[in-house]
Amino acid sequence: MMRIMYQIFFLTVMVGAASKKDPKECEVCIANLEAVDKLLDSDEKSSKESIIEAIDKHCGDIQNERPNPNLSSKDLKMCYYMVPIKRSIAQPFSTRKPKDRVCRDLMKQNPEICQVKYPVKVESSLSEEDMLKKLKKMRIKELRGILQDRGVDSAKISRFVEKEEYINEIMATQHLDL
C-alpha cells in the first residue's frame, strides 16, 4: 500500500514538473511569427503564398545577403532558420495554429529554433541594492549571457565558479551595458 502511495506521489510530481513551461522558450521564434502575422491582412492569413511573401518581407533577402536592417541580431538569426523552411511554417500558420505550437513543431525539424533567446537586459536605472537582488535571483546561465553580451572575455567568464563572482563582474562592467 505504501509503495502505491509513493508511485502516485511520484507521478503527480512528474506531471507538475512537466506542465511548468519556460516563459522564454521559443521567445524569438514566437516574436518573429507575430511580426509576420502583423504584416498580413485578415483575409490573407489563410493563404500560404501570402504567408511566404510576408516571411520574405519580414526577413528581407537573406539569400543575397540583404536582410531587413530593422532586425536585431537574434531576429536575423531566426530568419536564417525560418527562410529555408518557410513552406513548413506557412502550412500550420495558415490554419491559425497558435504561434508557440508552430514553433514547437518546427523545433522537431530544427532544434536550434527554440534555443535562440533575446539577451537578458539589466535595468541601469535600478539602485545598486535592487540590482543585486535582481541578479541574485537570476540563473548562472543568464548571468553568463549578460557578461557575454557586454563583451567580457569568455576565458575569464569560464574561470568563475561561484554565482557571486558573476554578479561582481556584472557590477564591475555596468558601464559596458549595451
Side-chain angles (χ1 to χ4, degrees), residues 26-37 39-40 51-60 62-63 71 74-93 99 102-104 106-107 109-110 112-114 116 118:
C26 300
E27 68 178 336
V28 179
C29 178
I30 294 169
N32 277 279
L33 290 180
E34 291 288 341
V36 169
D37 191 32
L39 293 174
L40 294 167
I51 294 168
I52 291 170
E53 289 173 15
I55 291 171
D56 287 336
K57 184 176 179 184
H58 170 70
C59 293
I62 299 289
Q63 274 84 18
L71 296 177
K74 300 298 181 177
D75 291 330
L76 186 59
K77 186 173 187 177
M78 184 55 59
C79 280
Y80 280 108
Y81 293 141
M82 288 173 53
V83 168
I85 58 171
K86 56 189 167 191
R87 293 205 182 281
S88 300
I89 296 170
Q91 172 56 38
F93 203 87
K99 312 301 185 274
V102 173
C103 290
R104 274 190 269 136
L106 292 173
M107 191 171 64
Q109 293 177 4
N110 185 352
E112 295 175 341
I113 283 183
C114 286
V116 180
Y118 288 118

XYZ file of all heavy atoms in Angstrom, residues 26-37 39-40 51-60 62-63 71 74-93 99 102-104 106-107 109-110 112-114 116 118:
478
model
N 11.300 29.495 -26.895
C 10.925 29.875 -28.263
C 10.509 31.349 -28.375
O 9.758 31.715 -29.278
C 9.812 28.985 -28.802
S 10.206 27.250 -28.889
N 10.999 32.217 -27.495
C 10.552 33.606 -27.480
C 10.877 34.347 -28.777
O 10.078 35.142 -29.262
C 11.122 34.352 -26.281
C 12.622 34.559 -26.338
C 13.165 35.335 -25.157
O 12.426 36.097 -24.522
O 14.361 35.180 -24.884
N 12.027 34.070 -29.373
C 12.414 34.765 -30.602
C 11.579 34.250 -31.772
O 11.121 35.032 -32.606
C 13.926 34.595 -30.877
C 14.328 35.289 -32.158
C 14.736 35.144 -29.711
N 11.351 32.953 -31.812
C 10.524 32.363 -32.864
C 9.104 32.940 -32.801
O 8.554 33.377 -33.822
C 10.500 30.843 -32.717
S 9.458 29.991 -33.908
N 8.526 32.950 -31.609
C 7.162 33.461 -31.444
C 7.092 34.941 -31.817
O 6.154 35.369 -32.509
C 6.676 33.226 -29.998
C 6.534 31.720 -29.740
C 5.370 33.955 -29.729
C 6.323 31.357 -28.281
N 8.077 35.725 -31.402
C 8.084 37.160 -31.719
C 8.170 37.393 -33.226
O 7.495 38.278 -33.767
C 9.247 37.843 -31.014
N 8.969 36.590 -33.919
C 9.088 36.744 -35.367
C 7.802 36.314 -36.071
O 7.394 36.947 -37.051
C 10.288 35.957 -35.891
C 11.569 36.722 -35.733
O 11.895 37.585 -36.535
N 12.307 36.438 -34.665
N 7.162 35.263 -35.593
C 5.888 34.854 -36.193
C 4.813 35.899 -35.933
O 3.963 36.133 -36.793
C 5.457 33.487 -35.659
C 6.302 32.300 -36.117
C 5.773 31.003 -35.531
C 6.347 32.201 -37.637
N 4.861 36.540 -34.778
C 3.921 37.639 -34.508
C 4.157 38.807 -35.468
O 3.214 39.410 -35.965
C 4.065 38.128 -33.056
C 3.587 37.157 -32.007
C 2.084 37.011 -31.954
O 1.360 37.893 -32.456
O 1.637 35.981 -31.409
N 5.421 39.097 -35.735
C 5.744 40.183 -36.670
C 5.275 39.846 -38.080
O 4.760 40.719 -38.796
C 7.252 40.443 -36.663
N 5.428 38.596 -38.478
C 4.935 38.160 -39.793
C 3.421 38.269 -39.826
O 2.839 38.722 -40.824
C 5.403 36.710 -40.098
C 4.686 36.153 -41.309
C 6.907 36.672 -40.311
N 2.772 37.884 -38.727
C 1.312 37.941 -38.648
C 0.809 39.373 -38.794
O -0.223 39.616 -39.425
C 0.863 37.352 -37.309
C -0.629 37.110 -37.237
O -1.232 36.808 -38.288
O -1.196 37.218 -36.130
N 2.096 41.648 -40.577
C 2.242 42.083 -41.971
C 1.097 41.597 -42.861
O 0.948 42.084 -43.972
C 3.572 41.570 -42.538
C 4.841 42.150 -41.930
C 6.064 41.433 -42.478
C 4.933 43.638 -42.199
N 0.323 40.654 -42.351
C -0.760 40.070 -43.144
C -2.097 40.737 -42.846
O -2.401 41.041 -41.690
C -0.876 38.574 -42.835
C 0.286 37.692 -43.233
C 0.150 36.325 -42.591
C 0.356 37.556 -44.739
N 1.550 34.164 -46.786
C 2.374 33.970 -45.588
C 3.846 33.884 -45.980
O 4.711 34.488 -45.337
C 1.919 32.713 -44.823
C 0.505 32.942 -44.278
C 2.890 32.365 -43.699
C -0.178 31.696 -43.760
N 4.130 33.165 -47.057
C 5.518 33.048 -47.539
C 6.056 34.413 -47.940
O 7.194 34.771 -47.619
C 5.597 32.036 -48.700
C 5.338 30.620 -48.163
C 6.939 32.102 -49.408
C 5.145 29.572 -49.224
N 5.243 35.205 -48.628
C 5.653 36.559 -49.013
C 5.889 37.436 -47.783
O 6.828 38.235 -47.747
C 4.590 37.194 -49.909
C 4.525 36.596 -51.301
C 3.354 37.140 -52.108
O 2.759 38.172 -51.708
O 3.037 36.525 -53.138
N 5.051 37.269 -46.758
C 5.213 38.055 -45.527
C 6.504 37.669 -44.799
O 7.186 38.536 -44.238
C 4.007 37.866 -44.621
N 6.853 36.390 -44.806
C 8.110 35.950 -44.199
C 9.281 36.583 -44.942
O 10.225 37.082 -44.334
C 8.213 34.406 -44.185
C 7.200 33.820 -43.204
C 9.628 33.955 -43.824
C 7.073 32.309 -43.271
N 9.210 36.569 -46.291
C 10.269 37.192 -47.090
C 10.366 38.689 -46.826
O 11.464 39.249 -46.739
C 10.037 36.938 -48.578
C 10.332 35.498 -48.982
O 11.121 34.835 -48.273
O 9.771 35.047 -49.999
N 9.222 39.338 -46.683
C 9.214 40.780 -46.427
C 9.788 41.079 -45.036
O 10.563 42.021 -44.872
C 7.785 41.315 -46.531
C 7.686 42.807 -46.381
C 6.253 43.278 -46.581
C 6.150 44.778 -46.412
N 4.763 45.232 -46.515
N 9.415 40.261 -44.061
C 9.907 40.459 -42.691
C 11.413 40.240 -42.608
O 12.122 41.027 -41.978
C 9.183 39.511 -41.729
C 9.774 39.476 -40.356
N 9.686 40.540 -39.489
C 10.480 38.517 -39.706
C 10.309 40.229 -38.367
N 10.806 39.005 -38.470
N 11.904 39.195 -43.231
C 13.321 38.842 -43.117
C 14.209 39.577 -44.111
O 15.405 39.715 -43.882
C 13.501 37.332 -43.306
S 12.781 36.370 -41.968
N 13.654 40.017 -45.199
C 14.474 40.621 -46.244
C 15.003 39.539 -47.174
O 14.560 38.394 -47.144
N 17.542 37.217 -47.575
C 18.613 36.526 -46.852
C 19.596 35.866 -47.824
O 20.814 35.916 -47.615
C 18.014 35.462 -45.896
C 17.110 36.098 -44.852
C 19.105 34.626 -45.240
C 17.799 36.905 -43.804
N 19.081 35.259 -48.901
C 19.958 34.538 -49.837
C 20.982 35.451 -50.499
O 22.108 35.055 -50.747
C 19.143 33.825 -50.926
C 18.661 32.453 -50.516
C 17.368 32.508 -49.717
O 16.653 33.501 -49.744
N 17.072 31.443 -48.998
N 16.031 44.447 -38.206
C 16.014 43.272 -37.334
C 17.205 43.284 -36.382
O 18.299 43.699 -36.751
C 16.060 41.988 -38.171
C 14.878 41.712 -39.091
C 15.123 40.457 -39.900
C 13.601 41.578 -38.287
N 19.353 38.640 -33.032
C 18.625 37.401 -32.713
C 17.487 37.168 -33.705
O 17.244 36.038 -34.118
C 18.079 37.445 -31.277
C 19.145 37.609 -30.231
C 20.119 36.448 -30.214
C 21.161 36.640 -29.140
N 22.080 35.537 -29.015
N 16.797 38.244 -34.098
C 15.741 38.110 -35.099
C 16.324 37.697 -36.443
O 15.740 36.883 -37.162
C 14.973 39.425 -35.246
C 14.143 39.749 -34.018
O 13.691 38.817 -33.329
O 13.947 40.947 -33.741
N 17.471 38.249 -36.778
C 18.140 37.896 -38.023
C 18.556 36.422 -38.012
O 18.381 35.709 -39.011
C 19.362 38.785 -38.239
C 20.092 38.647 -39.560
C 19.161 38.947 -40.729
C 21.283 39.579 -39.599
N 19.061 35.971 -36.889
C 19.436 34.557 -36.766
C 18.207 33.666 -36.953
O 18.267 32.630 -37.620
C 20.077 34.310 -35.392
C 20.620 32.922 -35.220
C 21.375 32.813 -33.908
C 22.063 31.477 -33.785
N 22.851 31.383 -32.555
N 17.081 34.086 -36.384
C 15.849 33.321 -36.545
C 15.412 33.309 -38.006
O 14.930 32.291 -38.505
C 14.747 33.904 -35.659
C 13.456 33.115 -35.681
S 13.619 31.374 -35.268
C 14.296 31.459 -33.644
N 15.608 34.411 -38.702
C 15.261 34.454 -40.125
C 16.108 33.470 -40.928
O 15.613 32.840 -41.855
C 15.415 35.863 -40.675
S 14.017 36.934 -40.273
N 17.380 33.334 -40.557
C 18.231 32.363 -41.240
C 17.702 30.943 -41.050
O 17.875 30.095 -41.917
C 19.683 32.456 -40.761
C 20.449 33.572 -41.404
C 20.802 34.709 -40.683
C 20.806 33.512 -42.745
C 21.498 35.744 -41.278
C 21.502 34.545 -43.345
C 21.846 35.657 -42.608
O 22.530 36.686 -43.207
N 17.058 30.689 -39.923
C 16.447 29.377 -39.705
C 15.098 29.256 -40.406
O 14.739 28.186 -40.903
C 16.235 29.118 -38.206
C 17.482 28.963 -37.395
C 17.564 29.494 -36.120
C 18.590 28.279 -37.881
C 18.704 29.348 -35.354
C 19.736 28.139 -37.134
C 19.788 28.670 -35.866
O 20.921 28.534 -35.115
N 14.327 30.366 -40.456
C 12.960 30.325 -40.966
C 12.865 30.316 -42.492
O 12.002 29.635 -43.037
C 12.157 31.506 -40.413
C 11.815 31.390 -38.959
S 11.053 32.868 -38.253
C 9.705 33.191 -39.334
N 13.706 31.078 -43.166
C 13.565 31.234 -44.611
C 13.662 29.900 -45.367
O 12.828 29.638 -46.244
C 14.559 32.290 -45.158
C 14.642 32.256 -46.661
C 14.143 33.678 -44.691
N 14.607 29.028 -45.063
C 14.657 27.765 -45.805
C 13.445 26.856 -45.587
O 13.145 26.024 -46.432
C 15.927 27.083 -45.287
C 16.738 28.161 -44.690
C 15.771 29.171 -44.187
N 12.743 27.021 -44.468
C 11.592 26.155 -44.190
C 10.286 26.945 -44.174
O 9.333 26.573 -43.503
C 11.793 25.403 -42.858
C 12.005 26.375 -41.700
C 12.926 24.413 -42.944
C 11.986 25.724 -40.334
N 10.234 28.019 -44.953
C 9.057 28.892 -44.912
C 7.781 28.177 -45.355
O 6.709 28.491 -44.880
C 9.294 30.170 -45.704
C 9.684 29.990 -47.134
C 10.087 31.328 -47.726
C 10.769 31.108 -49.060
N 11.400 32.325 -49.536
N 7.894 27.196 -46.230
C 6.700 26.432 -46.623
C 6.195 25.584 -45.463
O 4.989 25.420 -45.292
C 6.990 25.564 -47.835
C 7.260 26.372 -49.084
C 6.969 25.605 -50.358
N 7.288 26.387 -51.532
C 6.517 27.346 -52.042
N 5.380 27.635 -51.471
N 6.892 28.004 -53.117
N 7.107 25.065 -44.672
C 6.713 24.290 -43.484
C 6.079 25.191 -42.435
O 5.269 24.733 -41.631
C 7.929 23.601 -42.867
O 8.520 22.720 -43.774
N 6.457 26.445 -42.428
C 5.868 27.409 -41.495
C 4.486 27.834 -41.989
O 3.553 27.986 -41.207
C 6.778 28.642 -41.334
C 8.104 28.231 -40.708
C 6.104 29.730 -40.511
C 9.159 29.308 -40.731
N 4.348 28.001 -43.292
C 3.098 28.506 -43.863
C 1.933 27.543 -43.662
O 0.796 27.990 -43.469
C 3.287 28.793 -45.352
N 2.194 26.238 -43.687
C 1.113 25.263 -43.541
C 0.375 25.407 -42.204
O -0.816 25.668 -42.196
C 1.655 23.839 -43.732
C 0.666 22.733 -43.418
C -0.610 22.833 -44.211
O -0.596 23.181 -45.383
N -1.735 22.558 -43.567
N 1.038 25.264 -41.062
C 0.287 25.409 -39.807
C -0.142 26.857 -39.533
O -1.168 27.095 -38.898
C 1.266 24.919 -38.736
C 2.602 25.030 -39.344
C 2.417 24.866 -40.816
N 0.631 27.812 -40.040
C 0.305 29.225 -39.858
C -1.013 29.541 -40.552
O -1.820 30.320 -40.050
C 1.440 30.056 -40.437
C 1.552 31.438 -39.876
C 2.284 31.676 -38.732
C 0.946 32.505 -40.507
C 2.403 32.952 -38.218
C 1.059 33.782 -40.014
C 1.787 34.013 -38.865
N 1.063 30.385 -32.286
C 2.475 30.574 -32.657
C 3.420 29.698 -31.834
O 4.390 29.179 -32.361
C 2.902 32.035 -32.472
C 2.009 33.117 -33.032
C 1.750 33.081 -34.460
C 0.956 34.241 -34.963
N -0.469 34.138 -34.899
N 3.368 26.275 -33.291
C 4.082 26.248 -34.575
C 5.580 26.149 -34.312
O 6.280 25.341 -34.933
C 3.758 27.500 -35.426
C 4.630 27.558 -36.663
C 2.287 27.533 -35.819
N 6.060 26.938 -33.368
C 7.498 26.916 -33.044
C 7.919 25.567 -32.479
O 8.980 25.050 -32.818
C 7.840 28.034 -32.063
S 7.743 29.675 -32.810
N 7.091 24.980 -31.621
C 7.435 23.666 -31.068
C 7.460 22.599 -32.162
O 8.284 21.699 -32.134
C 6.472 23.271 -29.959
C 6.923 23.839 -28.623
C 6.138 23.275 -27.479
N 4.991 24.167 -27.275
C 3.751 23.758 -27.060
N 3.465 22.502 -27.002
N 2.784 24.625 -26.889
N 8.189 23.215 -35.316
C 9.396 23.495 -36.104
C 10.643 23.012 -35.380
O 11.634 22.644 -36.011
C 9.505 25.001 -36.376
C 8.454 25.588 -37.296
C 8.590 27.104 -37.337
C 8.555 25.016 -38.686
N 10.582 22.997 -34.059
C 11.723 22.544 -33.270
C 12.027 21.070 -33.554
O 13.170 20.637 -33.428
C 11.447 22.748 -31.782
C 12.655 22.566 -30.911
S 12.388 23.045 -29.203
C 11.160 21.881 -28.682
N 11.975 19.766 -36.498
C 12.789 19.793 -37.716
C 14.172 20.359 -37.441
O 15.161 19.888 -37.986
C 12.119 20.635 -38.805
C 10.850 20.069 -39.335
C 10.209 20.990 -40.358
O 10.769 22.017 -40.718
N 9.026 20.628 -40.808
N 14.223 21.413 -36.625
C 15.486 22.074 -36.317
C 15.482 22.482 -34.848
O 14.866 23.478 -34.482
C 15.675 23.304 -37.210
C 17.012 23.952 -37.032
O 17.777 23.602 -36.144
N 17.296 24.935 -37.863
N 17.462 23.978 -33.022
C 18.066 25.276 -32.699
C 17.056 26.417 -32.715
O 17.336 27.489 -32.196
C 19.200 25.574 -33.667
C 20.358 24.603 -33.539
C 21.424 24.838 -34.578
O 21.146 25.487 -35.606
O 22.532 24.358 -34.360
N 15.891 26.202 -33.310
C 14.901 27.271 -33.430
C 14.490 27.811 -32.072
O 14.371 29.019 -31.886
C 13.676 26.786 -34.243
C 14.052 26.791 -35.721
C 12.454 27.638 -33.988
C 12.962 26.425 -36.658
N 14.277 26.955 -31.110
C 13.845 27.417 -29.789
C 15.007 27.699 -28.841
O 14.788 28.067 -27.698
C 12.882 26.414 -29.168
S 11.256 26.487 -29.939
N 17.327 29.987 -29.570
C 17.670 31.400 -29.734
C 16.837 32.198 -28.736
O 15.624 32.069 -28.686
C 17.367 31.881 -31.177
C 17.724 33.337 -31.344
C 18.083 31.024 -32.184
N 16.456 36.153 -26.655
C 16.862 37.557 -26.600
C 17.813 37.744 -25.416
O 17.699 37.049 -24.406
C 15.645 38.466 -26.432
C 14.797 38.572 -27.678
C 13.486 38.140 -27.687
C 15.321 39.100 -28.840
C 12.704 38.236 -28.828
C 14.547 39.198 -29.986
C 13.236 38.771 -29.981
O 12.488 38.866 -31.103
